[in-house]
Amino acid sequence: MTSQVRGRLNVALVTIALVGLVSGLGLWLVEKSQLADYVWIVGVIPVLAALVVEIVRSLAKGDVGLDIVAALSMSAALFFDETLAAAVVALMYSGGTFLESFAEGRARREMSDLLSRVPRTATRHHNGSLVEVDLEAIVPGDLLLIRQGDIAPVDGTLETDSAILNQSALTGEAMPALLLRDGYVMSGSTNDGEAFDLRATRRAADSTYAGIVRLVEAAQKSKAPMVRLADRYSLLFLAVTVTIATAAWWFTGDPIRAVAVLVVATPCPLILAVPVALVAGMSRAAHFGVLIKGARPLEAMARVKTLILDKTGTLTDGRPRIVSIEAQADLNANEILFFAAALDQASRHPVAQAIVAAAHQQGMALPTPADPIEAPGEGVMGKINGCKVIVGGADFVAGQISGPLLDHPARSESEVIVAIAVDGRLVGHLVMADMLRTGTRGFLSGLRRVGMTRILLATGDRRVVAEAVSEGLDLDHVHAQMTPDQKVRLVLNERESGAVMMVGDGVNDAPALAAADVGVAMGARGTAASAEAADVVLLVDQLDRLLPGLEVAQGARRIALESVVVGIGLSVVGMFAAALGYLSPVQGAILQELIDVAVILNALRALKIVPQDANEHDRNQADPCPS
């Protein structure tokens, strides 16, 4: 049964139960009690039938849940003509199922959405012209045109002199890669430079991106299902209920006492309070920019003790930023930035655009460059205010100016150096890096405070870069140069010690997100693949939003457990009262209603949870990327 069909069925059942109860009460008030009994029976039968079907399915899987108690109470009430009590129980049960279904309705969309990132068609060279063809029609040897901004649809080799590719979603490497002729292009890479020709070496179904999709699907299928919080107490509560009801009937000879016990024992505090608390927690988490795709992920989120973090775009911004400006002539830092940014307006390279953005942030008015000439992936030459300016890699700039090239500043493996020359003289360097997110150190400390005992970094980036970026951070281990399937194996290995949360933003993170007990995606700038595979999406581009999300999840689960303990405790007291003859079935149903109201009101406290870290990001300062 699909989730959509199940949702419609739950709506229909709660509607039938509500209409049946209300209509029967109306007939009973006008003294048409026999007709009221029929109406109540009509309202109960569909709910009971659906419940029995669900119980049979669960038993076939070896699962025993609290649904059995609800089925026993409705069946016994109908058998002994306590139809009003049966109608009340039917409404409470169908209402709880509807709430749980509503929570599950926020779960992840169909896995087919993952494929939306890859184009359905490609542009192929054919007899001197360009034609659009379906991906399935591409065969090894075809020559494809990849325009600027396009995503490579298949694996292949570069047929033009050079190309600038953003592979961060696949490899975790933040800086765009310069590929030369005959270089290997992975499907899923984004063309950040000029258009280029790609010679296909694999079919779409055999390419890198398709392989990652298959990893995600396999990980989701192997993911252990989360057990409903309510069902963890099912066997004990079922045993207690049957024992008390049987004893009441055995010692008194009155079956109505057993019916009353079963009605009071209907586990509405569990069936209602748990989903109410968790749905309220989901709503509260969304207030802090944390979208949790269902009550079960929220419950699992509250129990996580191990966190695995991706690097690029997760622990770091995923975009190059200026770390420092090193002047080597008579120009100051602002003048160096001015010349570099003014000329870089002529380039579409991501590093160039980052330099332009930095100048705009400082309010600089940049003139239009004159006579710009770009060597793709290497640098740009042109004139700014009559001065000849060269911006690019150190080797490129060195080849364009006369005289010795001054030493560029010491750099770490995580940094990129951009050299600037004006009128034939090197005037300075821009040191750029993919920087840690604002408040990263405080975020990691907050994770320890909320109970995270193990924090790991898992990245596809090079080890030297991963170690440079993570230096001084409170991490238990750093895993570098990891492929998507290696990330999945890491998650599965860590799950042997307890629930695992994985946080990532790229296509290469999607399989690990699907395999983890709780997958968290950076939704603001992350890929569609990671967002679809994840259980939780951070709606704002701030990693520290995860802290209030964790606190809300823990608080909602704690409130749900409180409601369970108090509600079941009161139900047990009512069961003994019914067994001793102090409560009739209808009175027992009314008592259960009062208990339900109490536990639901308590569960709604999850809407008022105030995390300690709700405003922590406002107090944090930026952490520079270690050198």
Side-chain angles (χ1 to χ4, degrees), residues 167-172 186-187 207-216 219 310 458-461 480-492 502 506-516:
Q167 299 175 329
S168 60
L170 296 170
T171 66
M186 292 185 292
S187 61
S207 291
T208 302
Y209 190 81
I212 292 177
V213 171
R214 287 192 291 271
L215 276 175
V216 174
D310 173 48
T459 176
D461 216 338
Q481 295 175 284
M482 301 198 79
T483 61
D485 58 323
Q486 288 174 332
K487 287 188 177 183
V488 170
R489 285 198 292 271
L490 174 62
V491 169
L492 296 179
M502 170 74 192
V507 174
N508 61 331
D509 299 316
L513 295 176

Side-chain angles (χ1 to χ4, degrees), residues 74-422:
M74 277 188 272
S75 301
L78 289 178
F79 185 81
F80 292 105
D81 292 329
E82 295 290 343
T83 52
L84 175 56
V88 173
V89 173
L91 178 59
M92 287 302 97
Y93 175 80
S94 59
T97 304
F98 169 77
L99 286 173
E100 194 167 29
S101 174
F102 174 78
E104 293 298 326
R106 294 189 179 185
R108 66 182 59 86
R109 293 185 288 272
E110 294 296 327
M111 189 57 214
S112 58
D113 288 344
L114 176 60
L115 295 171
S116 63
R117 187 176 184 273
V118 162
R120 303 294 181 183
T121 61
T123 305
R124 183 170 64 186
H125 290 275
H126 182 68
N127 294 333
S129 61
L130 296 172
V131 294
E132 290 291 320
V133 297
D134 292 336
L135 285 188
E136 293 75 14
I138 298 174
V139 297
D142 282 351
L143 186 63
L144 308 176
L145 175 65
I146 310 299
R147 301 181 180 90
Q148 186 177 58
D150 283 354
I151 297 169
V154 297
D155 295 344
T157 57
L158 187 62
E159 290 288 311
T160 47
D161 290 337
S162 64
I164 300 173
L165 294 176
N166 184 339
Q167 299 175 329
S168 60
L170 296 170
T171 66
E173 185 75 49
M175 300 298 176
L178 172 64
L179 266 67
L180 301 179
R181 181 179 290 274
D182 296 327
Y184 180 67
V185 178
M186 292 185 292
S187 61
S189 302
T190 302
N191 180 14
D192 276 356
E194 300 300 323
F196 64 84
D197 288 335
L198 173 70
R199 181 73 66 181
T201 57
R202 293 181 180 179
R203 292 181 177 274
D206 301 323
S207 291
T208 302
Y209 190 81
I212 292 177
V213 171
R214 287 192 291 271
L215 276 175
V216 174
E217 292 172 334
Q220 287 183 331
K221 290 178 181 177
S222 64
K223 189 170 183 177
M226 285 177 274
V227 180
R228 281 195 314 177
L229 179 62
D231 287 341
R232 293 176 191 158
Y233 305 91
S234 57
L235 284 176
L236 177 61
F237 189 75
L238 176 61
V240 170
T241 299
V242 172
T243 299
I244 296 176
T246 302
W249 191 352
W250 178 268
F251 288 107
T252 66
D254 184 2
I256 300 302
R257 291 196 182 189
V259 174
V261 169
L262 291 174
V263 169
V264 175
T266 301
C268 291
L270 283 172
I271 295 172
L272 287 172
V274 172
V276 167
L278 298 184
V279 171
M282 290 164 55
S283 176
R284 185 60 174 164
H287 175 77
F288 297 104
V290 182
L291 175 63
I292 303 175
K293 298 181 179 181
R296 299 188 189 199
L298 183 140
E299 186 193 341
M301 193 174 174
R303 297 184 286 108
V304 165
K305 298 298 179 184
T306 298
L307 177 67
I308 301 176
L309 291 165
D310 173 48
K311 182 184 75 68
T312 304
T314 302
L315 199 64
T316 66
D317 280 332
R319 296 175 294 185
R321 290 165 52 188
I322 297 175
V323 177
S324 64
I325 301 177
E326 306 292 341
Q328 295 191 359
D330 55 355
L331 299 183
N332 61 36
N334 284 339
E335 291 170 327
I336 292 172
L337 176 61
F338 170 81
F339 278 113
L343 182 58
D344 271 340
Q345 293 177 103
S347 174
R348 293 182 179 274
H349 194 285
V351 171
Q353 294 301 304
I355 294 172
V356 174
H360 285 157
Q361 287 175 358
Q362 294 193 22
M364 292 184 179
L366 302 178
T368 302
D371 305 322
I373 300 174
E374 181 174 12
E378 297 185 73
V380 189
M381 297 181 291
K383 291 184 178 181
I384 302 297
N385 292 343
C387 298
K388 183 178 179 181
V389 181
I390 306 171
V391 179
D395 293 338
F396 173 77
V397 175
Q400 304 298 324
I401 64 177
S402 59
L405 182 64
L406 298 176
D407 291 337
H408 61 71
R411 51 167 291 191
S412 76
E413 291 288 344
S414 64
E415 295 174 345
V416 170
I417 301 299
V418 178
I420 302 98
V422 178

